[in-house]
């Protein structure tokens, strides 16, 4: 996805978001949309059953190097979202992105600038970019 797509998306959001213009509406809708993403993932396990969540302590050998860590880390997910669940999760993620763009518009921030800055941090700092 190039810069043009992010800028077009943010511009389109600014044109269609009329009803929830207040920062209070935007931040609460943003939070609500995040909860809906999480709920769609959980419902894939608890309603549909296409995924199973089997969480347990990560089993990492004491002498494992940082480079070896990803080989020992588990997502705790068995299976994969079916087409119906995948569609629902993607829809909720899209809605979440909508309100992220709306929050950027309300605060006069450019989503594309934020993504570029974050990408630069990741490329420059690698594993040290995480906090
Ligand atoms: Zn499913």
């Amino acid at each position: 996805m190039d810069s043009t797509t992010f800028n077009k998306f943010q511009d389109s959001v600014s044109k269609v978001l009329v009803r929830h213009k207040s920062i209070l509406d935007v931040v609460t809708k943003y939070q609500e949309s995040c909860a809906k993403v999480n709920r769609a993932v959980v419902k894939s396990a608890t309603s549909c059953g296409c995924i199973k969540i089997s969480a347990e302590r990560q089993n990492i050998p004491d002498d494992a190097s940082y480079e070896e860590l990803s080989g020992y880390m588990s997502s705790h997910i068995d299976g994969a979202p079916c087409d119906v669940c995948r569609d629902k999760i993607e829809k909720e993620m899209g809605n979440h992105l909508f309100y992220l763009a709306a929050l950027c518009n309300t605060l006069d921030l450019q989503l594309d600038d934020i993504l570029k800055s974050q990408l630069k941090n990741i490329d420059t700092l690698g594993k040290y970019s995480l906090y």
Side-chain angles (χ1 to χ4, degrees):
M1 195 178 302
D2 60 36
S3 297
T4 308
T5 305
F6 291 114
N7 291 332
K8 279 184 185 174
F9 181 73
Q10 189 168 349
D11 188 51
S12 293
V13 169
S14 74
K15 290 175 183 166
V16 300
L17 189 69
V18 176
R19 217 169 142 224
H20 301 293
K21 203 89 174 172
S22 162
I23 185 70
L24 296 174
D25 287 326
V26 172
V27 295
T28 53
K29 291 295 281 184
Y30 179 64
Q31 184 177 22
E32 179 185 43
S33 65
C34 182
K36 286 184 174 180
V37 170
N38 294 340
R39 181 151 177 84
V41 172
V42 169
K43 295 301 272 182
S44 297
T46 61
S47 279
C48 180
C50 57
I51 64 170
K52 181 178 178 187
I53 300 170
S54 305
E56 60 186 2
R57 184 175 187 271
Q58 300 284 3
N59 190 12
I60 306 165
D62 291 338
D63 60 346
S65 68
Y66 186 85
E67 288 71 29
E68 296 171 322
L69 278 182
S70 67
Y72 291 107
M73 302 300 282
S74 170
S75 68
H76 297 138
I77 297 173
D78 296 327
C82 67
D83 290 344
V84 172
C85 291
R86 180 177 299 276
D87 286 349
K88 177 70 174 168
I89 293 166
E90 288 178 350
K91 177 183 166 266
E92 297 300 352
M93 285 180 168
N95 196 43
H96 189 57
L97 289 173
F98 178 94
Y99 284 106
L100 176 60
L103 184 57
C104 288
N105 288 335
T106 303
L107 299 172
D108 197 25
L109 302 171
Q110 290 299 307
L111 184 57
D112 186 59
D113 292 345
I114 296 166
L115 290 169
K116 284 178 182 169
S117 175
Q118 188 63 20
L119 178 59
K120 184 179 174 188
N121 283 343
I122 292 168
D123 288 346
T124 304
L125 302 173
K127 62 187 175 187
Y128 301 107
S129 66
L130 304 174
Y131 54 88

